[in-house]
Amino acid sequence: MEPTAAGDVKVPVLHIVVVGFHHKRGCQVEFSYPPLLPDEGHDSNLTPEEWRYLPFLALPDGAHNYQEDTVYFHLPPLSGDMKCVYGVSCYRQIEAKALKVRQADVTRETVQKSVCVLSRVPLYGLLQAKLQLITHAYFEEKDFSQISILQELYEHMNGSLRGSTLEGSQVYLGLSPRDLILHFQHKAVILFKLILLEKKVLFYVSPVNRLVGALMTVLSLFPGMIEHGLVDSSHYKPRSSVSEDLSLVDSFSGAEEFVSVSVTDIASAALELVGEDAGQRAPESLSSGTSTEGDNQLLKPPSHTSPDSSESDWETLDPSVLEEAGAKEATEGKETGSELTDAFDSHPGTPITVQPQAVTGQGGVTQGLVSGLEEDQYGLPLAVFTKGYLCLPYMALQQHHLLSDVTVRGFVAGATNILFRQQRHLSDAIVDVEEARIHIQDPELRKVLSLTTADLRFADYLVKHVTENRDDVFLDGTGWEGGDEWIRAQFTLYLHSLLSSAIQQDNERLLADYGAPFISAWKISHNYRVWYSNKHPAMTAIPPGSHPFQGQYSVTDMKLRLSHSVQNSERGKKIGNAMMTTSRSVVQTGKAVGQSVGGALTSAKSAMSSWFSTLAPPAAVTPPASPEAAVEVEP
């Protein structure tokens, strides 16, 4: 049962939970308010089966190496009408001898605990700010039996957050695109395009607060993604045993439950074409083309298991499905007299459904007919984190099986354990946050993500505006040009232009500025097909699409391309390192030679002066005026 307030209004904060480390049982829940299980007490260690990883997420792996840390994590819903549960945890450790009341189970020199909030709203930074203060006060009590402050926190948060909208700067509190651009430079654009392709992306760094900060900042570059795009991002099944894994495949009799939405199926539903026709098209939505006789279509693992193949067989739609459905939809449209003619009219190969107008105009959001997300009139956020594509800001080691789970078509996840990074074949890209490097094994994917000249201009434009203002009032990220909101606005413009280009007739030239290989890969992604299958009225207000930084090739572009190649390719990095080593050696050698030559010249000059003075002819010496003076020039 979900916590509700008076009047049966669902509260924004579900639970306040304390997780501790027990010397025998490991990480466990020590306190929850309200209780995680209605039939249990506040001090129960039990958790719902769907939340069995909660203790390991709230108290992260390797936490003993840090005095304090912060974790963002996502939990699956407990019931069908729930959405993703957003967790924020503040971890601290204290010496056991400093406790005023030392309980019997405290046998270690330090006590490690986390206080976490489980919420319906993705206000990560705001929840963190409030939680850090309470966690500090809770530890200052030096008596962990004093739980009244946690109950007060629950009431205070629900009172202050109730009725708040997911708009404005409070959603992005603590997420700084400025810092991301300063650290990753032009690679921030690569990360943006990588997530659009819905690949398996793993972020890696320690401690956890750096990890989740970098990952969520990248997602904040996508318009509306933090506010409305993550509600289906944590729909996974916890693993309890091997037998459960085997039964998991059998439990899904309809493969379409975890397959990208078939545009054909959506169009059929909209036109009330149900029955045998829809049942026959469902297997066709599997790009692998695998099917079995009978009524049940079991979900099977992808046939491509090599690291070079990152696209799941069952994840994307067969383009022929769109073409066949388009012909049927065009016929139906003529019969019903539907006239949808504007700048968004697509070619007859794709069915169209009408997106309802928002009551509040273009600034409002409505329920997407296809994506199921709250969308604006541009169709944003894109339906990236839906249908088995997960967003897990932090993954515990106990969740490692999700990387190879057949019901998970992809993920954007963060990890601090080295085991995640070592198993490279389970990820398409590994983002080393510390080194600001993106490791991609598949050469084809590297080709797809290579930045075009226009992309490089866009990245250079961002970097210059951020770096030029780093020493003035923009340092706090609150200014406009070069500030956090400005950077998000640039990526919004970039995405709007990309979408606008995609819906133009004869758009090959327009899309070439984004990279032909990238466009080809993106057009078979789930998020593009869902967006393209719908009608988005506000797109008519965007001028006919083109890349914001299109233009003629120049010498400056050559310099950008060379700089990008040197920084990004292995050969370029080796050349750059060799040049740096050589220049450093030349400088050091020059200094040494200068000191040696200078010292030798000084010594030689002194010796020559002394030698010439001893060889001076006597005639040149003025006769002394006194005997004392003559003594000074005697040999």
Side-chain angles (χ1 to χ4, degrees):
M1 180 180 294
E2 303 179 48
T4 56
D8 198 30
V9 177
K10 294 181 179 180
V11 294
V13 174
L14 298 173
H15 303 276
I16 303 295
V17 181
V18 176
V19 175
F21 184 84
H22 192 274
H23 67 284
K24 291 183 178 180
R25 295 189 291 268
C27 299
Q28 64 178 10
V29 173
E30 297 180 346
F31 168 82
S32 59
Y33 182 82
L36 294 177
L37 296 174
D39 298 333
E40 300 290 336
H42 296 297
D43 57 351
S44 173
N45 303 132
L46 302 178
T47 61
E49 180 60 26
E50 294 85 351
W51 292 356
R52 61 176 305 175
Y53 300 131
L54 171 60
F56 310 103
L57 294 169
L59 198 61
D61 184 38
H64 60 279
N65 296 319
Y66 303 94
Q67 283 298 117
E68 54 185 317
D69 204 353
T70 303
V71 187
Y72 301 161
F73 58 91
H74 293 164
L75 292 174
L78 293 180
S79 59
D81 59 340
M82 280 185 68
K83 299 297 184 181
C84 172
V85 176
Y86 309 96
V88 178
S89 172
C90 287
Y91 157 82
R92 290 193 67 180
Q93 63 175 329
I94 186 176
E95 293 185 355
K97 62 182 180 182
L99 296 175
K100 293 180 180 178
V101 178
R102 182 165 179 170
Q103 299 176 352
D105 59 351
V106 177
T107 60
R108 299 161 63 94
E109 295 182 358
T110 58
V111 178
Q112 302 165 356
K113 292 184 185 295
S114 288
V115 181
C116 63
V117 175
L118 303 183
S119 171
R120 300 178 190 273
V121 291
L123 298 174
Y124 304 96
L126 186 62
L127 294 174
Q128 176 186 345
K130 295 177 178 290
L131 189 57
Q132 282 179 331
L133 296 174
I134 298 301
T135 303
H136 178 76
Y138 183 55
F139 272 75
E140 286 300 311
E141 290 283 343
K142 296 181 174 60
D143 180 5
F144 294 120
S145 63
Q146 302 297 321
I147 58 175
S148 59
I149 189 174
L150 302 179
Q151 297 174 349
E152 293 173 3
L153 172 64
Y154 175 81
E155 302 296 339
H156 167 73
M157 281 191 167
N158 279 318
S160 60
L161 297 178
R162 186 178 292 115
S164 62
T165 58
L166 293 175
E167 297 178 1
S169 59
Q170 64 178 1
V171 177
Y172 303 115
L173 184 63
L175 306 178
S176 175
R178 280 179 52 81
D179 294 340
L180 183 77
I181 299 296
L182 287 171
H183 188 59
F184 279 93
Q185 302 282 306
H186 65 275
K187 295 174 185 175
V189 181
I190 298 178
L191 290 174
F192 187 83
K193 298 178 77 170
L194 181 63
I195 293 177
L196 278 177
L197 297 181
E198 299 177 353
K199 297 299 181 182
K200 298 178 179 180
V201 185
L202 181 71
F203 285 72
Y204 176 83
V205 76
S206 291
V208 182
N209 64 337
R210 288 190 61 193
L211 174 73
V212 298
L215 189 152
M216 298 307 298
T217 300
V218 172
L219 297 187
S220 73
L221 301 177
F222 292 84
M225 187 64 74
I226 299 292
E227 299 95 316
H228 307 293
L230 301 177
V231 293
D232 295 328
S233 65
S234 62
H235 286 51
Y236 62 85
K237 291 282 187 179
R239 183 174 71 172
S240 59
S241 64
V242 176
S243 59
E244 181 177 321
D245 292 341
L246 297 176
S247 63
L248 185 61
V249 176
D250 297 333
S251 65
F252 297 105
S253 58
E256 64 275 6
E257 289 296 325
F258 280 88
V259 179
S260 301
V261 173
S262 171
V263 179
T264 309
D265 296 338
I266 294 299
S268 302
L271 297 172
E272 299 182 357
L273 299 177
V274 295
E276 295 181 357
D277 185 40
Q280 291 174 356
R281 285 195 303 270
E284 294 177 4
S285 67
L286 302 180
S287 63
S288 62
T290 56
S291 61
T292 57
E293 297 295 333
D295 296 332
N296 294 334
Q297 301 295 330
L298 298 182
L299 186 61
K300 294 186 177 182
S303 60
H304 299 301
T305 57
S306 64
D308 293 340
S309 176
S310 57
E311 191 72 21
S312 298
D313 286 39
W314 45 270
E315 185 255 322
T316 55
L317 298 172
D318 190 340
S320 62
V321 176
L322 291 179
E323 297 174 0
E324 295 172 1
K328 290 184 179 181
E329 181 65 18
T331 304
E332 292 291 339
K334 291 179 181 178
E335 293 176 355
T336 57
S338 175
E339 296 181 357
L340 300 173
T341 57
D342 56 22
F344 185 67
D345 284 346
S346 62
H347 57 80
T350 305
I352 297 296
T353 56
V354 180
Q355 178 75 6
Q357 292 280 354
V359 178
T360 57
Q362 292 186 4
V365 294
T366 57
Q367 189 79 17
L369 292 177
V370 183
S371 68
L373 304 177
E374 295 290 331
E375 299 176 353
D376 64 12
Q377 293 300 293
Y378 299 97
L380 302 177
L382 294 174
V384 176
F385 297 101
T386 58
K387 295 297 178 182
Y389 192 78
L390 304 181
C391 174
L392 304 173
Y394 172 71
M395 282 188 73
L397 187 59
Q398 288 76 9
Q399 295 176 297
H400 184 272
H401 67 93
L402 293 176
L403 300 185
S404 55
D405 195 325
V406 295
T407 64
V408 175
R409 65 184 179 91
F411 53 81
V412 176
T416 58
N417 195 298
I418 191 65
L419 293 177
F420 286 93
R421 183 178 179 181
Q422 289 175 342
Q423 296 188 337
R424 296 176 179 268
H425 63 284
L426 297 179
S427 304
D428 297 321
I430 298 179
V431 182
D432 189 331
V433 179
E434 180 69 32
E435 301 293 334
R437 297 184 62 181
I438 306 173
H439 302 276
I440 301 175
Q441 288 185 310
D442 185 3
E444 287 299 320
L445 181 57
R446 288 199 297 267
K447 180 181 178 181
V448 167
L449 291 172
S450 61
L451 298 182
T452 63
T453 299
D455 284 340
L456 285 175
R457 291 173 187 161
F458 173 55
D460 187 61
Y461 177 73
L462 295 174
V463 172
K464 282 184 176 179
H465 276 73
V466 170
T467 54
E468 287 174 359
N469 297 319
R470 64 185 305 176
D471 296 325
D472 58 16
V473 295
F474 293 98
L475 196 65
D476 58 1
T478 59
W480 174 241
E481 190 166 344
D484 290 338
E485 293 300 323
W486 180 86
I487 294 172
R488 292 191 185 98
Q490 303 311 308
F491 277 96
T492 299
L493 173 62
Y494 181 90
L495 186 56
H496 281 175
S497 301
L498 174 60
L499 295 171
S500 178
S501 299
I503 63 178
Q504 301 299 319
Q505 299 292 340
D506 300 324
N507 56 8
E508 288 78 10
R509 182 182 58 83
L510 298 175
L511 294 175
D513 286 327
Y514 298 94
F518 168 76
I519 294 299
S520 299
W522 179 50
K523 282 190 172 182
I524 63 173
S525 68
H526 172 70
N527 69 82
Y528 174 80
R529 293 180 177 231
V530 169
W531 182 87
Y532 195 58
S533 67
N534 237 7
K535 196 90 168 164
H536 309 292
M539 291 302 298
T540 59
I542 299 178
S546 62
H547 197 293
F549 288 84
Q550 68 169 350
Q552 297 295 325
Y553 201 74
S554 65
V555 176
T556 305
D557 296 323
M558 294 177 62
K559 293 180 180 179
L560 275 175
R561 176 65 60 186
L562 179 61
S563 174
H564 172 69
S565 299
V566 169
Q567 295 178 22
N568 227 30
S569 64
E570 292 299 326
R571 181 179 299 178
K573 290 171 185 175
K574 290 179 181 179
I575 294 175
N577 292 334
M579 291 177 63
M580 291 180 60
T581 304
T582 302
S583 61
R584 197 179 301 117
S585 301
V586 169
V587 171
Q588 293 176 353
T589 304
K591 290 180 179 179
V593 171
Q595 293 175 355
S596 301
V597 173
L601 289 175
T602 303
S603 301
K605 185 177 181 181
S606 301
M608 291 296 291
S609 299
S610 176
W611 184 64
F612 274 114
S613 65
T614 58
L615 295 180
V621 179
T622 305
S626 62
E628 290 79 4
V631 173
E632 295 179 2
V633 296
E634 284 184 355

